[in-house]
Amino acid sequence: MKVVVGLGNPGSQYSGTRHNVGFDVIDELARRWQLAKPQLKFQAELRDGNFGGHKVLLVTPQTFMNRSGESVQQIVRFYQIPTESLSDSVVVVCDDMNLPLGRLRWRAGGSSGGQKGLADILLRLGSDQVPRLRLGVGRPPGQMDPAKWVLAKFRSEEQTESEFMTKLASDSVELWVKEGIASTMNRFNRSSEE
């Protein structure tokens, strides 16, 4: 089984914000795969699907960003995914202010890079060897508070780029499901930078 976790905040007021790009990718995958409406379990919305010969669980934690690990920890326990298998079984999709808008960056593991939802997941799973897909949302302009920036909606002139990023990120998750992290990093880290 493959578990794809998209990070964001629940509630319509957060829809379309920079912090919710992880949710946007899950919605795009669910649309592509024509999955049924999500079920609420493990403090998350869950959608079951099949892609590329794999059973896939699409997850959007409903705990708010900074406590995303509560939900992911419950799912990993329920499906009995051992710590040593996290690197092949789970991917976290999240926003990253340190990347320009539209840039994708896949990593096999490492630190959270300051992304609090990812940090909570790594802490609760007891491993930093969890693949993650970071989606660039750009730096806040001037002296703007970073927290306000990530909770703001994309500006009208950014809409096309953010929608393209969601589609490209979804393509990359599909490749991860089929071929794993090495192929995905090789193809999408490079193509994202071009």
Side-chain angles (χ1 to χ4, degrees):
M1 170 187 270
K2 304 284 187 179
V3 180
V4 182
V5 182
L7 300 189
N9 286 313
S12 58
Q13 69 270 37
Y14 298 108
S15 180
T17 64
R18 296 168 196 279
H19 229 13
N20 274 38
V21 292
F23 279 16
D24 295 340
V25 171
I26 297 296
D27 288 343
E28 171 66 13
L29 291 167
R31 185 193 63 74
R32 288 181 183 192
W33 302 348
Q34 299 179 331
L35 302 185
K37 288 197 181 299
Q39 293 182 302
L40 197 57
K41 285 172 77 171
F42 310 116
Q43 296 177 277
E45 287 187 347
L46 307 181
R47 295 176 179 103
D48 276 315
N50 287 285
F51 183 79
H54 295 275
K55 182 174 170 53
V56 183
L57 187 66
L58 300 180
V59 179
T60 51
Q62 300 296 296
T63 52
F64 287 92
M65 179 67 79
N66 296 358
R67 293 177 31 229
S68 299
E70 291 177 22
S71 168
V72 178
Q73 184 180 43
Q74 291 174 56
I75 291 164
V76 165
R77 280 185 183 155
F78 181 83
Y79 288 101
Q80 300 178 347
I81 300 169
T83 303
E84 58 273 15
S85 296
L86 290 171
S87 59
D88 296 321
S89 305
V90 178
V91 67
V92 177
V93 183
C94 61
D95 62 297
D96 189 334
M97 284 192 310
N98 296 313
L99 293 174
L101 178 64
R103 178 78 52 88
L104 306 184
R105 181 164 295 146
W106 277 86
R107 288 287 180 262
S111 80
S112 68
Q115 214 288 348
K116 291 187 169 78
L118 178 58
D120 192 55
I121 291 169
L122 301 181
L123 178 70
R124 289 175 186 272
L125 296 185
S127 173
D128 65 359
Q129 294 308 297
V130 178
R132 71 287 311 258
L133 166 57
R134 297 175 177 279
L135 279 65
V137 298
R139 299 286 313 162
Q143 300 299 310
M144 186 176 184
D145 177 9
K148 284 189 178 160
W149 175 249
V150 294
L151 295 176
K153 294 186 186 298
F154 287 103
R155 298 185 300 246
S156 57
E157 66 270 21
E158 297 174 315
Q159 285 298 330
T160 302
E161 186 69 31
S162 74
E163 288 166 14
F164 179 75
M165 177 174 69
T166 298
K167 288 182 171 56
L168 190 64
S170 301
D171 293 345
S172 76
V173 170
E174 289 180 335
L175 185 65
W176 174 79
V177 169
K178 290 193 291 191
E179 296 187 20
I181 188 72
S183 294
T184 307
M185 287 195 304
N186 202 17
R187 177 164 165 205
F188 282 91
N189 288 353
R190 184 180 303 132
S191 65
S192 170
E193 288 169 14
E194 288 167 359

